[in-house]
Amino acid sequence: MPAENDRMGNGSVETHEESQEEASVATSDDHLADLYKKMALIRTFEEATQRGFRQGKIGGYLHVYIGQEAVATGFIDAYKEGDKVITAYRDHAFPLLLGSDPKETMAELYGKRTGLAKGKGGSMHLFDIERGFYGGWGIVGGHVPIGVGMGYALRYNETDQICQLYLGDGAVNIGPFHEAANLAGLWGRDGMNATLFIVENNQYGMGTSVARSTAMTDLSAKFNAYGIENEKVDGMDLEAVLECAHRVTEQVRETGKPYAVEAITYRTAPHGAADFFEKYRTKDEVKKWRERDPIGLLEHKLLERGTLDEDRIEEIKDEMKETIDEVTTFAEESEEPPIEELYTDVYAGEDEYMGEEE
Amino acid sequence: MPEKTYREALREAMSEEMERDDSVVLMGEDIGVYGGTQLVTDGLLDRFGPNRVIDTPISEDGFTGTAVGMAMMGMRPIVEMMTMNFSFLAVDQIVNHAPKVRYFSGGQVEVPLVIRGPNGGGVQLSAQHTHSLESFYGQFPGLKVVAPVTPHDVKGMMLTAIRDPNPVVFLEAGALYGTKGEVPEGDYTVLFGKARIAREGDDVTLISYGRQVNLCLQVADKLNDEDDIKAEVIDLRSLRPFDEETIIESVKKTHRAVAVQEQWRYFGVASEVTAIIQDKAFDYLDAPVKRVSGAEVPGPYARNLELAAFPSEEQVAEAARQVLYLEVV
Ligand SMILES: Cc1ncc(C[n+]2csc(CCOP(=O)(O)OP(=O)(O)O)c2C)c(N)n1
Ligand SMILES: [Mg+2]
């Protein structure tokens, strides 16, 4: 891992540790302004990844978080030292919020040795275990039981830490989700499952809307079947997310019982780097949701309350651009992984590689 | 040395390690209150309590996945598949999560996980409950795959499996839980990647693993009695890592080899054995290597059909005589 002091480029966005003290003033306007900055960083980062992809500098699949920023930003605000976070492949925002270096995050997408996973995971498999980020998984629903097992381990080890487990609306229809939710509910009866499920209902799994994927479209209510308390939150409204996040994380921490939140949100970007969006949704629909863009919404509130003015907002946006320019330059200029990396990390222990060196 | 059953040896390995190491937990269907369908975990719930001997609902994919999560957090879960046939439900976790995450995270996590359960046929369970999964799981980098056949090895290899920082698929000889053998007291390990010479001989090498090792030993007796042929029998016991060395050394001595497997012929372990021999001991061979495998059919039920579906003494003996260019009667 590159040195600690390389973190966060020009330091324009706080690491999580710094914002920790402010937890008690979770919704104070200053704190909201800080979170606004974080959301702007994520947005700017994601736009840069889209450019990188179009330029052919980022390969594989690319899933951006544009439109959903308030969800992770709100919930990670309630993150405490030792907590764990796990999600699927739409994962760029998480290390950024947990204090990973945006440069290393971008470098991973560029497949460089300076990347979070040394260039071996790419966009879908960001990991930063030191900061509590357990990935970055590519099979829809596959990480859900893994997160539930982590929630068990946290109680087994007698901690009051929790596992924030993010999943998409599409993942709610797959087997492992149901098996894992059942286990979480079961173990939670004895206070043995500190898992907070956060269903990011962005209305679509690729091109399939929630309504076309299940006859029972109330996703939070699905958790009733497993004895898991649940609620919904407006995932576009950071303040609403914050209120919910701080309250429910504390509850899971205290009880060791799982809890589920369905965050109603929207992916204004294409599913991957590009998609056939007009086949499955209308321009009108996207436009309607854009009016409730989480960054725009917060910006509006902060302007109205006088926390920020237009000039300051322009400044923040410029700062973010500058930061991300540096981030992108770093990723572009970093070296590719040395070819020996091909053979490392296959196994833990003495023999990392079992094949024949060709 | 005390004689113990395969089942007892296995239980001893797990329970002794649970005494030593709090991070070891067991999970699976009916392993606690019920004692395990093969009674491997019988009595352990009382000794270690429900947080360490976890009775799960019937949800292989789900509970195997939770074990992956526990392992990533530093616990050492041992997952029982009631039979390995049900591991197909959990293949996504076993092959596409557990053995990959270390690599795609750039080495940031370890997954010290054991997936264990009865494997192979021979007890008339018919098609859906009869599989030998060595080559299936043996295909995936990041996994370790072992198949011990003696009570001695099952204890020593289980201890190695639990302490291994990687996911291990531990294939037990499903038909042999009651067989007895010498098992040392206390802590000893049998390392992975080292085959066992089950019987020494100079004339032909019989290479096998799991239940078929016993068959090969019987054939070795028969060849000795009937034709004064000294067969060497190799028990591979570890498929990944794979011990090429022992095979090659043996073939250099005997110049003839037969690979025997319960699983199907194509793409199986025996094919791998054959390829390795032709690659690394070609000049020592006096005859083409033969394979004896299961018939290319789903496992049948009727006793006579089942017997015909698996390698028999006659088939293996015939293959041995063929590579020795002896008259086959
Ligand atoms: C098991 C599996 N099936 C299919 C895919 C292909 N796929 C990738 S993302 C996706 C949509 C998932 O939607 P959702 O869970 O709502 O997450 P979102 O992309 O909206 O964040 C699909 C079908 C996959 N990765 N895994
Ligand atoms: Mg979705």
Side-chain angles (χ1 to χ4, degrees):
Chain A
M1 294 247 107
E4 283 276 321
N5 55 17
D6 212 10
R7 199 121 289 118
M8 300 308 278
N10 63 7
S12 57
V13 172
E14 291 140 318
T15 61
H16 173 72
E17 292 87 288
E18 283 163 305
S19 63
Q20 200 69 160
E21 296 149 35
E22 296 169 71
S24 55
V25 284
T27 49
S28 81
D29 285 354
D30 281 352
H31 188 56
L32 286 178
D34 285 339
L35 295 180
Y36 172 81
K37 252 164 121 177
K38 291 190 182 189
M39 300 210 301
L41 180 87
I42 296 167
R43 178 72 53 96
T44 316
F45 183 97
E46 294 292 44
E47 287 166 353
T49 68
Q50 291 179 314
R51 280 194 299 278
F53 191 91
R54 281 195 298 272
Q55 294 164 353
K57 293 174 179 166
I58 294 175
Y61 295 147
L62 181 84
H63 311 89
V64 299
Y65 204 58
I66 294 174
Q68 301 176 220
E69 291 91 343
V71 183
T73 304
F75 278 98
I76 301 293
D77 192 62
Y79 176 97
K80 284 196 176 152
E81 182 77 34
D83 284 354
K84 311 295 174 218
V85 176
I86 185 169
T87 187
Y89 45 81
R90 197 176 298 285
D91 59 352
H92 308 164
F94 296 88
L96 297 180
L97 289 163
L98 288 163
S100 307
D101 189 337
K103 289 179 175 166
E104 292 173 24
T105 310
M106 187 66 88
E108 185 60 34
L109 274 61
Y110 275 66
K112 298 299 178 74
R113 71 188 298 174
T114 50
L116 283 178
K118 303 192 281 190
K120 293 163 90 165
S123 162
M124 294 190 285
H125 300 304
L126 299 174
F127 270 75
D128 194 343
I129 296 296
E130 228 178 280
R131 293 185 173 69
F133 188 49
Y134 278 67
W137 297 79
I139 304 300
V140 170
H143 71 292
V144 180
I146 294 177
V148 169
M150 290 166 58
Y152 185 90
L154 291 170
R155 298 304 283 192
Y156 186 84
N157 293 333
E158 297 177 358
T159 74
D160 69 348
Q161 295 151 3
I162 72 163
C163 178
Q164 291 193 10
L165 165 49
Y166 294 80
L167 60 146
D169 49 279
V172 172
N173 300 312
I174 201 164
F177 162 74
H178 291 272
E179 297 189 11
N182 186 53
L183 288 163
L186 192 65
W187 294 339
R189 283 194 311 205
D190 305 317
M192 286 298 287
N193 208 258
T195 305
L196 174 59
F197 293 87
I198 299 150
V199 178
E200 297 191 74
N201 181 355
N202 63 6
Q203 315 301 321
Y204 294 91
M206 294 188 76
T208 305
S209 67
V210 173
R212 288 202 300 121
S213 57
T214 177
M216 212 293 276
T217 55
D218 183 341
L219 303 189
S220 55
K222 304 233 181 202
F223 289 87
N224 291 334
Y226 306 112
I228 298 174
E229 269 190 82
N230 57 79
E231 68 185 82
K232 293 185 204 305
V233 69
D234 179 353
M236 300 310 240
D237 179 354
L238 180 71
E239 283 187 290
V241 177
L242 284 169
E243 186 283 320
C244 171
H246 283 270
R247 176 169 45 79
V248 303
T249 50
E250 281 321 296
Q251 180 176 327
V252 174
R253 215 179 282 294
E254 259 166 50
T255 60
K257 292 184 194 307
Y259 195 90
V261 178
E262 177 189 355
I264 311 291
T265 180
Y266 196 76
R267 160 173 64 67
T268 41
H271 163 78
D275 70 10
F276 318 106
F277 91 88
E278 278 179 90
K279 284 190 177 171
Y280 66 90
R281 58 185 186 184
T282 62
K283 277 186 175 155
D284 254 14
E285 179 185 301
V286 179
K287 187 164 162 268
K288 202 187 96 225
W289 279 92
R290 275 222 176 97
E291 285 161 14
R292 298 204 70 242
D293 179 83
I295 298 180
L297 213 61
L298 183 64
E299 196 172 294
H300 186 73
K301 282 189 191 181
L302 293 176
L303 282 172
E304 229 171 36
R305 294 179 200 162
T307 315
L308 299 177
D309 57 23
E310 299 279 4
D311 288 349
R312 181 67 192 125
I313 283 179
E314 274 319 298
E315 246 175 67
I316 292 174
K317 287 186 174 162
D318 288 345
E319 273 171 39
M320 293 307 132
K321 269 218 191 75
E322 243 174 75
T323 305
I324 295 303
D325 281 349
E326 281 174 37
V327 161
T328 308
T329 306
F330 174 85
E332 282 179 359
E333 290 176 355
S334 288
E335 284 172 37
E336 291 179 326
I339 209 69
E340 306 86 72
E341 269 308 334
L342 180 61
Y343 304 108
T344 64
D345 305 320
V346 185
Y347 291 92
E350 283 156 36
D351 300 315
E352 292 187 62
Y353 180 61
M354 258 182 210
E356 270 170 61
E357 321 278 342
E358 298 294 331
Chain B
M1 217 183 285
E3 287 246 319
K4 290 196 175 117
T5 62
Y6 191 91
R7 170 188 294 112
E8 286 162 347
L10 194 50
R11 185 190 305 134
E12 209 169 271
M14 295 191 290
S15 60
E16 286 177 5
E17 196 65 359
M18 287 177 82
E19 296 282 3
R20 282 186 287 262
D21 182 353
D22 278 347
S23 68
V24 180
V25 299
L26 309 181
M27 53 197 305
E29 293 156 15
D30 276 318
I31 64 163
V33 173
Y34 193 80
T37 45
Q38 303 290 341
L39 295 176
V40 172
T41 53
D42 198 26
L44 301 188
L45 174 63
D46 288 341
R47 281 174 67 188
F48 298 103
N51 287 347
R52 298 190 68 192
V53 179
I54 306 167
D55 268 325
T56 64
I58 306 158
S59 47
E60 283 78 7
D61 192 12
F63 67 72
T64 304
T66 64
V68 176
M70 292 177 195
M72 281 169 44
M73 295 283 296
M75 292 174 67
R76 292 183 178 271
I78 305 173
V79 172
E80 173 171 307
M81 291 291 156
M82 190 178 273
T83 80
M84 284 314 288
N85 306 287
F86 314 138
S87 74
F88 287 127
L89 276 303
V91 161
D92 184 42
Q93 290 296 334
I94 301 172
V95 315
N96 212 6
H97 287 78
K100 305 274 176 71
V101 59
R102 180 169 180 79
Y103 197 78
F104 66 56
S105 69
Q108 291 187 63
V109 294
E110 291 182 356
V111 184
L113 166 69
V114 181
I115 312 284
R116 56 154 287 269
N119 171 64
V123 285
Q124 283 190 275
L125 292 174
S126 72
Q128 291 193 303
H129 289 73
T130 300
H131 289 94
S132 287
L133 298 178
E134 294 79 7
S135 64
F136 179 77
Y137 285 120
Q139 181 75 54
F140 298 95
L143 279 183
K144 294 191 178 180
V145 182
V146 297
V149 68
T150 66
H152 173 277
D153 284 356
V154 84
K155 179 173 174 187
M157 292 184 99
M158 178 50 79
L159 286 169
T160 300
I162 300 171
R163 293 169 193 172
D164 199 291
N166 299 286
V168 178
V169 176
F170 196 92
L171 302 168
E172 294 161 12
L176 302 182
Y177 283 109
T179 54
K180 284 198 163 171
E182 291 192 341
V183 178
E185 295 290 348
D187 188 355
Y188 69 93
T189 53
V190 173
L191 298 183
F192 296 170
K194 191 80 200 97
R196 173 177 73 101
I197 310 276
R199 175 184 176 123
E200 287 192 39
D202 295 324
D203 298 331
V204 58
T205 307
L206 308 179
I207 302 150
S208 185
Y209 56 90
R211 191 163 73 96
Q212 304 307 317
V213 173
N214 293 348
L215 179 77
C216 289
L217 288 169
Q218 286 161 23
V219 171
D221 278 341
K222 185 181 162 87
L223 292 172
N224 184 51
D225 296 348
E226 294 175 8
D227 296 299
D228 199 30
I229 294 165
K230 309 294 178 202
E232 179 143 298
V233 177
I234 294 179
D235 171 8
L236 291 170
R237 71 182 173 181
S238 170
L239 289 313
R240 188 180 262 276
F242 195 78
D243 180 3
E244 300 188 359
E245 196 60 36
T246 300
I247 299 171
I248 294 160
E249 286 312 308
S250 179
V251 171
K252 282 182 178 173
K253 178 174 68 172
T254 63
H255 311 293
R256 300 159 200 278
V258 177
V260 183
Q261 62 182 6
E262 183 173 311
Q263 64 183 224
W264 295 296
R265 176 190 187 96
Y266 296 103
F267 321 110
V269 172
S271 307
E272 192 58 43
V273 168
T274 309
I276 286 164
I277 295 172
Q278 75 80 24
D279 188 18
K280 304 213 166 139
F282 186 77
D283 291 338
Y284 294 89
L285 281 177
D286 284 345
V289 182
K290 283 254 161 225
R291 283 174 293 168
V292 181
S293 313
E296 293 287 320
V297 297
Y301 166 69
R303 187 67 191 150
N304 67 326
L305 297 183
E306 187 183 46
L307 285 171
F310 294 132
S312 65
E313 228 176 87
E314 293 68 35
Q315 283 173 311
V316 178
E318 182 179 318
R321 290 192 174 107
Q322 278 175 356
V323 301
L324 284 151
Y325 298 119
L326 293 177
E327 277 297 304
V328 177
V329 273

